[in-house]
Amino acid sequence: MLAQPLLPAAAPQRSAWVGTVHLLWRSARPRSTSEVLSAAAVLVLLVLSKLLNLTLPLVLRLVVNALSAPAGGQPVAATAPLVLLYCGLTICSDGCSQLQSALWGRLSFRITQRVSLRLFEHLHALSLRWHLNRKTGEVLAVMNQGVGAVATLLQVATFSISATLLELVLTSAVFAKIGVPAISLCVVGGAALYTWYTVALTTMRVGQRREVNGASKRAQDVVVDSLLNFETVKLFAAEATEARRYGGFTTALSELQ
């Protein structure tokens, strides 16, 4: 019986972005009540943290205005509640971030464990011909990098992209509310320009990054397979040959960096 692919058959016809999102959703989709609650708590804490971060400059503005009031205005002692409020909001914001990181750590570990188990089962379901022709070092490198990449992509999508978009919307709304829509337009335009530049540069570097990853996997494959077949290497006195092979791969890798 042939092993089922990790991605559906239609995935190669899709764009790389759609395939990546589909794989992330299949990997990160909560499977139990505890995971659903953890994911919901992480999202709530993320939104709450961004709201608190947005409130801090507004409170700080009130503190500065109160302390800069002319003589006979608001006394300095009257600004104490504002200062305490600012300190409290700062502590709450940091607390939300720390609690969010703790919850995400447990959730990320479960997702990584699920992906690792699924990949392990997939490898065992492959045919005997594939296992006879396998390259152990390259397979191990792909497993380690692939499982780690899933967790990294989820973290970037949740805490970098989504959080930045939320903060951008909230900040633009605040600037528009206080009567300076030009700053809102500048913020949105700058963010859009930076996003376009980042995506374009990343797309240009994809090919180079794949070559570097391929060279790194081939070098690791030489090391692992050579050590696993240590008796054969010794029997044929091929230590120098193996060293030259590994040196050639590392040289090619250094030239790609």
Side-chain angles (χ1 to χ4, degrees):
M1 181 178 179
L2 296 178
Q4 295 295 327
L6 292 179
L7 287 175
Q13 301 176 359
R14 303 176 181 176
S15 65
W17 294 100
V18 175
T20 302
V21 172
H22 181 72
L23 177 60
L24 288 178
W25 170 246
R26 291 180 60 184
S27 303
R29 182 168 54 88
R31 306 296 174 85
S32 62
T33 304
S34 61
E35 290 186 1
V36 172
L37 294 177
S38 297
V42 168
L43 294 178
V44 170
L45 289 172
L46 175 63
V47 174
L48 185 59
S49 176
K50 293 304 177 182
L51 290 175
L52 291 174
N53 288 336
L54 185 65
T55 308
L56 286 175
L58 301 178
V59 177
L60 182 61
R61 183 189 66 169
L62 297 177
V63 174
V64 173
N65 291 340
L67 293 176
S68 303
Q74 188 176 12
V76 176
T79 62
L82 293 176
V83 175
L84 293 177
L85 177 61
Y86 180 82
C87 295
L89 291 176
T90 303
I91 295 174
C92 291
S93 177
D94 293 340
C96 289
S97 299
Q98 295 297 329
L99 185 57
Q100 166 192 307
S101 299
L103 292 176
W104 172 252
R106 296 183 59 185
L107 187 61
S108 176
F109 178 78
R110 293 181 182 179
I111 294 172
T112 303
Q113 182 184 24
R114 187 159 57 238
V115 173
S116 301
L117 179 59
R118 185 179 176 190
L119 180 57
F120 186 74
E121 293 174 346
H122 176 75
L123 290 175
H124 273 287
L126 293 174
S127 64
L128 178 61
R129 177 182 298 178
W130 186 90
H131 282 281
L132 292 176
N133 296 325
R134 78 189 189 284
K135 296 182 178 180
T136 306
E138 190 169 348
V139 171
L140 292 176
V142 170
M143 287 182 62
N144 294 332
Q145 293 178 0
V147 173
V150 171
T152 302
L153 285 174
L154 287 174
Q155 185 172 2
V156 169
T158 304
F159 301 116
S160 294
I161 299 177
S162 301
T164 302
L165 290 176
L166 176 62
E167 198 166 8
L168 176 64
V169 171
L170 294 176
T171 304
S172 301
V174 169
F175 280 125
K177 182 68 175 179
I178 62 179
V180 281
I183 298 181
S184 298
L185 294 177
C186 291
V187 170
V188 174
L193 181 61
Y194 177 76
T195 301
W196 172 82
Y197 171 78
T198 303
V199 172
L201 186 62
T202 302
T203 304
M204 291 174 56
R205 286 179 52 86
V206 166
Q208 180 184 3
R209 193 67 234 175
R210 286 178 177 172
E211 292 181 0
V212 172
N213 290 338
S216 177
K217 287 183 290 187
R218 288 190 292 271
Q220 185 173 355
D221 173 58
V222 171
V223 173
V224 174
D225 285 351
S226 180
L227 294 178
L228 287 177
N229 298 283
F230 174 77
E231 296 86 353
T232 305
V233 174
K234 277 292 185 181
L235 179 63
F236 291 94
E239 295 91 340
T241 302
E242 292 297 307
R244 284 195 298 270
R245 286 181 60 206
Y246 181 66
F249 283 118
T250 54
T251 301
L253 179 60
S254 64
E255 292 176 353
L256 291 174
Q257 296 291 344

